Amino acid sequence: QNRRMAPVRHDPDKEAFAELCDITEGLLPIHLPDTQEYVEWIHPAFRDDIIRSLHEGRFSVQAYLDLHGFIVPEAEEELDDFLTDSLKKGFCCVKVIHGRGLRSVKGARLKDVVVKRLSGHFRKDIIAYVTARQCDGGLGALYVLLRKK
């Protein structure tokens, strides 16, 4: 006897909901690059694979700055001092913890400040920056790869 099997119908909404449930229950990790909060930038003179290596934590973090609790003007000053000092010391990789702005009415203002400073004033001193691994702060932190002076 020849029976035809009915094709299995996939419901993308059900599949997405099931995956989301697995993530919230800790059964599946969040793939940070798939989120809207993920940030990455690389200087055009460098190879794109550096971003992947940086995001995967293959560079040793030599110093970090935690901006939790700072207001925007203080955060800008702290970041400038930290990056200037890190460059003087010849550091290769640093981490900036900016938080996600979850308690802020205006959202992730410190993150915006950090990205703006990195892509503006300090652009010439940076090879790349990217959202940190989950164990290093995830969406609330950035790894920054510095150029040697």
Side-chain angles (χ1 to χ4, degrees):
Q1 255 183 350
N2 248 351
R3 282 195 209 172
R4 290 184 79 183
M5 298 288 289
V8 178
R9 289 202 175 128
H10 293 283
D11 183 341
D13 290 339
K14 277 186 181 176
E15 289 174 11
F17 184 72
E19 188 172 329
L20 185 58
C21 287
D22 287 347
I23 289 171
T24 58
E25 291 171 12
L27 302 173
L28 269 179
I30 295 173
H31 188 238
L32 296 181
D34 291 340
T35 68
Q36 291 179 334
E37 293 180 67
Y38 180 81
V39 175
E40 75 174 35
W41 178 84
I42 186 162
H43 190 283
F46 294 87
R47 296 185 332 261
D48 287 346
D49 59 335
I50 291 174
I51 283 288
R52 188 176 337 101
S53 295
L54 185 59
H55 177 65
E56 290 173 353
R58 296 179 194 248
F59 292 88
S60 179
V61 173
Q62 297 168 289
Y64 73 92
L65 172 66
D66 188 345
L67 295 173
H68 280 104
F70 286 94
I71 61 173
V72 169
E74 295 169 342
E76 288 174 326
E77 187 176 332
E78 289 290 321
L79 180 64
D80 288 357
D81 291 347
F82 173 72
L83 291 173
T84 299
D85 188 52
S86 295
L87 287 161
K88 280 181 188 170
K89 290 179 178 175
F91 289 163
C92 174
C93 182
V94 296
K95 179 173 69 172
V96 178
I97 304 165
H98 47 69
R100 293 180 61 198
L102 298 178
R103 290 188 215 114
S104 171
V105 176
K106 295 183 179 179
R109 297 195 56 214
L110 294 183
K111 180 177 185 175
D112 294 342
V113 163
V114 170
V115 169
K116 185 176 179 182
R117 296 301 284 169
L118 294 176
S119 59
H121 183 74
F122 285 96
R123 185 180 191 123
K124 67 187 181 310
D125 301 311
I126 293 172
I127 294 171
Y129 58 85
V130 67
T131 296
R133 294 180 304 158
Q134 195 67 37
C135 63
D136 268 342
L139 298 168
L142 292 172
Y143 298 130
V144 182
L145 200 57
L146 302 171
R147 284 183 172 207
K148 293 279 184 188
K149 288 270 180 181

